[in-house]
Amino acid sequence: MVKRHILLLTTALSLLEALTLTAAHGHDSDATGAEGSGLSEVAQNSLPPNSTAAAVMISLSASPSSYFSYAPYSGLMWAHILLMTIAWFFILPVGVMLSLSRSRLTLVTRLFFLGLNAVGILVGRIHNSKTPELYANNSHNRIGWVVTCIVLVQCLIGAMRTSPEPARDHLAKLEERAALIPTSAEAMDWHQSSHISRTSQQYRYSLDSGHSTEPGSSRSHSISSLQGSEDEPLKSEETQDPELTARYQEKTRAVYPSTISQLLSRIHGVLPYRILRILSFFHEIADRVLLLLGFVAIVSGIVVYGGVFRGSNVFNGLAHTTKGGIFFWYGLLTLGRWMGCFVEYGWAWNVRPPMGLVSSRKATIPSAEFVESFVIFLYGSTNVFLEHLTGWGDAWTARDLEHVSISIMFFGGGLCGMLLESQWIRDLLNTTILNLPSRGHLNPPINRWDPPKTYPFSMNPFPALIILLLGLLMSSHHQSSMISTMIHKQWGTLFVGFAIARVFTYILIYISPPVSFLPSRPPTEIVASFCLISGGIIFMASNKDTVGAMEKHGLNPMFSFTLTMGFTAFLMAWTIIVLAIRGWAVQRQQSHSLALGADTA
């Protein structure tokens, strides 16, 4: 009964998501109501005439009211916000981590997410049908539909990926593999010792190719290591035991509902292999971009709710949101490096695992400092041509030239950082000492020519230096109002804090270089990530419209600063919990695979 309910729930949620995607957007775009009035005349007269807030508020007073200030049916809006926050901020990251860990709980988590998301969309539709359209042609609706469609398609593909192979196909593959492996005493010993792990490997995702990058897990290992033997082919006993077939079927039915398994197995058998590989690739890519797309959806929802970025102010809003968002995710990446993410690339302040322990692709990935320098270089090379976008066709101002100079600083600093990470450049710089004419005559101790113990670790100062200079520049950058100046000084000071923390990290690495493949977790990187995340959020909030709205509602910069500090601390705690959930899911999946192999042995 429960198994049929899961199938019905999956179908119902898919239909509900499809229905919400096709629902009409019933707005009365002409009716703004008495509550849609803008800024009062008294509030306008109380502001300095030359301030940024005065200019912004005049435009706000002439434009329709925002959903933030629209009182009727605000309960529906808050319900929509609450449901979407739970779904996108809490449930989706857990689902992504479970999917990356190949957990059997992934499907259940995704169904829970789709259910909350569908209810949130329904509540939003009800709110829209009862209120005037206060932000016409907004991007939040389009982004929400796109991300919802991606999650829905990924959920269906994920259900196919987690469908177990039928027992007869599983045993047939075992028999086919056994026929290809010649038997010898060494082969029999290897077969007995690896029986459990080989059985558990069969219980993998049905769209996987079977070519693992982990050491010793390649299919070719068992054949290449035993080549040269000419004994009779091995006849696996489990392929001839009907009792084993029944036990395997019972075990898989305990994990996956039989109805769903039959349905997904039929779909899996009809689709060509190339299509299955494309779907698997889409699933892997979606796992890695869903959180970023969810971030875009949440930010666009905040913009629409606040009624900002209208008219020509959209360029200023996009610039601050994009640049601040980059530093926000840079902070999350820094926190991930401290927790041990990308440890196989050597990015977690650890010794880079050599080729053989990891795949050749992972062993040749550039250092994290190279990636940071490349992003800085790319930012500078592109923004040189975008800094005058808001005043296109007008004369260049001193502020435009200041911003272009900052872009050139990013361009040159990023290029220097990439050159410092180049092994070829390092070898060229060492040519002078290595080619001394008297090198072969003095015969110094052999260890004098050994590379210093700090060589394997990147201590590139340019990413921290560029962000330090950016923070200093923005801390003293002239603005049109005192509140805007203070907000810019806040995130500039936080960026300076990141640079100082990164310098102390390099000092610790220089004094005591890592000696283990495990992440060393320098405590200064926690401070660095906190400064980047909070600084990026305040950077996004320092746009003209947001500053004008703060002055309109009588909010001072300390309100946004303390709010950001609290949210950043909570976000970092939640990120650590989510990464810990991934580790728990990996351990749980391994234990289940070993138990399944022991039961079928």
Side-chain angles (χ1 to χ4, degrees):
M1 183 65 69
V2 175
K3 302 171 185 177
R4 289 195 293 270
H5 287 170
I6 295 178
L7 177 60
L8 293 175
L9 180 60
T10 306
T11 307
L13 288 177
S14 302
L15 291 176
L16 182 57
E17 292 286 342
L19 289 175
T20 53
L21 289 174
T22 57
H25 187 68
H27 281 74
D28 185 4
S29 58
D30 297 329
T32 58
E35 299 81 357
S37 59
L39 181 67
S40 65
E41 183 178 356
V42 176
Q44 292 185 40
N45 295 333
S46 63
L47 294 171
N50 296 328
S51 66
T52 303
V56 173
M57 290 179 186
I58 291 175
S59 64
L60 289 175
S61 62
S63 63
S65 174
S66 64
Y67 291 105
F68 173 77
S69 59
Y70 191 78
Y73 304 104
S74 59
L76 290 174
M77 174 57 73
W78 280 108
H80 171 76
I81 294 174
L82 179 62
L83 290 170
M84 289 306 187
T85 301
I86 296 174
W88 290 91
F89 186 81
F90 292 100
I91 306 302
L92 180 63
V94 174
V96 170
M97 293 299 106
L98 292 177
S99 178
L100 292 175
S101 60
R102 307 291 178 93
S103 173
R104 297 180 297 114
L105 301 175
T106 304
L107 183 60
V108 177
T109 308
R110 282 178 175 151
L111 291 177
F112 188 30
F113 167 79
L114 289 175
L116 283 178
N117 186 66
V119 176
I121 292 176
L122 182 61
V123 172
R125 285 304 184 184
I126 295 174
H127 176 270
N128 290 342
S129 65
K130 296 180 178 294
T131 59
E133 187 174 11
L134 303 180
Y135 206 119
N137 300 321
N138 67 82
S139 61
H140 176 64
N141 291 335
R142 301 185 186 94
I143 294 174
W145 297 139
V146 170
V147 178
T148 300
C149 288
I150 292 176
V151 176
L152 181 60
V153 172
Q154 192 202 27
C155 182
L156 297 176
I157 298 176
M160 293 178 56
R161 284 169 59 93
T162 54
S163 62
E165 298 170 314
R168 61 177 182 275
D169 296 339
H170 168 77
L171 299 177
K173 287 186 177 182
L174 282 178
E175 185 174 5
E176 179 183 358
R177 178 182 298 183
L180 294 175
I181 303 179
T183 304
S184 64
E186 180 184 0
M188 184 61 69
D189 293 340
W190 176 86
H191 169 72
Q192 296 293 338
S193 62
S194 63
H195 173 74
I196 296 178
S197 61
R198 186 186 61 186
T199 307
S200 63
Q201 285 292 329
Q202 288 294 325
Y203 196 76
R204 77 163 114 251
Y205 289 79
S206 58
L207 293 185
D208 286 355
S209 61
H211 299 285
S212 173
T213 60
E214 298 299 326
S217 61
S218 175
R219 291 182 177 182
S220 61
H221 174 77
S222 60
I223 299 177
S224 61
S225 62
L226 300 174
Q227 285 179 344
S229 178
E230 298 179 357
D231 295 334
E232 291 297 324
L234 171 67
K235 296 299 182 181
S236 179
E237 296 180 1
E238 63 264 31
T239 61
Q240 302 174 2
D241 189 358
E243 182 180 354
L244 174 64
T245 303
R247 279 188 293 168
Y248 181 83
Q249 290 175 338
E250 180 181 358
K251 190 69 177 179
T252 55
R253 280 197 300 267
V255 178
Y256 297 95
S258 58
T259 307
I260 296 180
S261 299
Q262 294 175 3
L263 176 62
L264 296 177
S265 297
R266 291 177 182 177
I267 297 176
H268 182 271
V270 171
L271 294 178
Y273 175 77
R274 180 168 297 181
I275 299 298
L276 296 177
R277 294 299 301 164
I278 293 175
L279 293 178
S280 178
F281 178 77
F282 172 83
H283 187 277
E284 296 291 340
I285 294 298
D287 272 339
R288 287 156 177 80
V289 301
L290 267 181
L291 295 181
L292 181 60
L293 294 176
F295 170 78
V296 174
I298 292 175
V299 171
S300 63
I302 295 174
V303 169
V304 173
Y305 180 68
V308 295
F309 301 174
R310 299 179 188 267
S312 60
N313 288 342
V314 67
F315 296 108
N316 179 268
L318 283 177
H320 283 77
T321 303
T322 303
K323 297 173 184 178
I326 291 174
F327 285 104
F328 172 81
W329 283 96
Y330 186 14
L332 289 178
L333 176 64
T334 303
L335 178 61
R337 292 179 60 188
W338 178 87
M339 289 186 291
C341 298
F342 316 108
V343 67
E344 65 273 22
Y345 304 145
W347 289 11
W349 311 104
N350 64 308
V351 176
R352 180 193 288 266
M355 190 179 303
L357 188 60
V358 297
S359 64
S360 58
R361 179 184 63 84
K362 293 181 178 180
T364 55
I365 290 290
S367 65
E369 282 73 14
F370 180 90
V371 176
E372 292 175 349
S373 300
F374 174 75
V375 173
I376 291 174
F377 167 81
L378 183 64
Y379 171 87
S381 60
T382 55
N383 273 265
V384 168
F385 307 100
L386 300 178
E387 292 297 347
H388 191 59
L389 189 61
T390 56
W392 192 261
D394 299 333
W396 283 71
T397 63
R399 176 171 294 186
D400 292 336
L401 295 176
E402 289 177 5
H403 291 173
V404 169
S405 300
I406 294 175
S407 298
I408 295 176
M409 179 185 71
F410 269 69
F411 174 83
L415 182 60
C416 288
M418 289 190 294
L419 292 176
L420 261 63
E421 293 300 313
S422 172
Q423 184 63 43
W424 179 63
I425 294 294
R426 293 183 184 180
D427 293 339
L428 292 179
L429 296 178
N430 290 335
T431 302
T432 303
I433 186 65
L434 292 177
N435 293 336
L436 287 177
S438 59
R439 176 183 176 183
H441 302 288
L442 296 178
N443 295 324
I446 190 64
N447 58 357
R448 293 292 187 267
W449 297 107
D450 292 341
K453 61 181 181 179
T454 57
Y455 263 35
F457 308 101
S458 175
M459 286 177 280
N460 194 334
F462 273 99
L465 176 62
I466 296 301
I467 295 177
L468 170 68
L469 295 176
L470 176 65
L472 292 175
L473 291 171
M474 289 297 104
S475 297
S476 57
H477 194 43
H478 176 70
Q479 301 295 324
S480 301
S481 68
M482 181 57 67
I483 289 183
S484 180
T485 301
M486 293 180 66
I487 293 177
H488 279 75
K489 186 176 182 179
Q490 288 174 354
W491 63 261
T493 304
L494 288 169
F495 286 176
V496 172
F498 156 77
I500 295 175
R502 177 58 61 86
V503 168
F504 276 103
T505 298
Y506 288 147
I507 293 175
L508 293 176
I509 296 298
Y510 185 83
I511 295 175
S512 178
V515 294
S516 172
F517 295 142
L518 299 177
S520 59
R521 297 191 177 97
T524 50
E525 285 302 295
I526 286 288
V527 180
S529 62
F530 185 92
C531 292
L532 281 176
I533 295 173
S534 56
I537 295 174
I538 298 178
F539 193 167
M540 290 189 287
S542 63
N543 59 82
K544 293 180 180 179
D545 283 355
T546 303
V547 171
M550 290 177 61
E551 296 190 0
K552 169 186 174 182
H553 294 282
L555 301 176
N556 57 60
M558 286 307 298
F559 171 80
S560 61
F561 185 78
T562 54
L563 192 66
T564 302
M565 297 302 104
F567 175 74
T568 302
F570 176 78
L571 176 63
M572 292 179 64
W574 175 239
T575 304
I576 295 174
I577 292 174
V578 169
L579 265 296
I581 290 175
R582 180 184 180 183
W584 167 82
V586 171
Q587 292 181 351
R588 184 177 184 273
Q589 188 69 14
Q590 291 175 348
S591 300
H592 171 77
S593 299
L594 293 175
L596 178 64
D599 290 345
T600 56

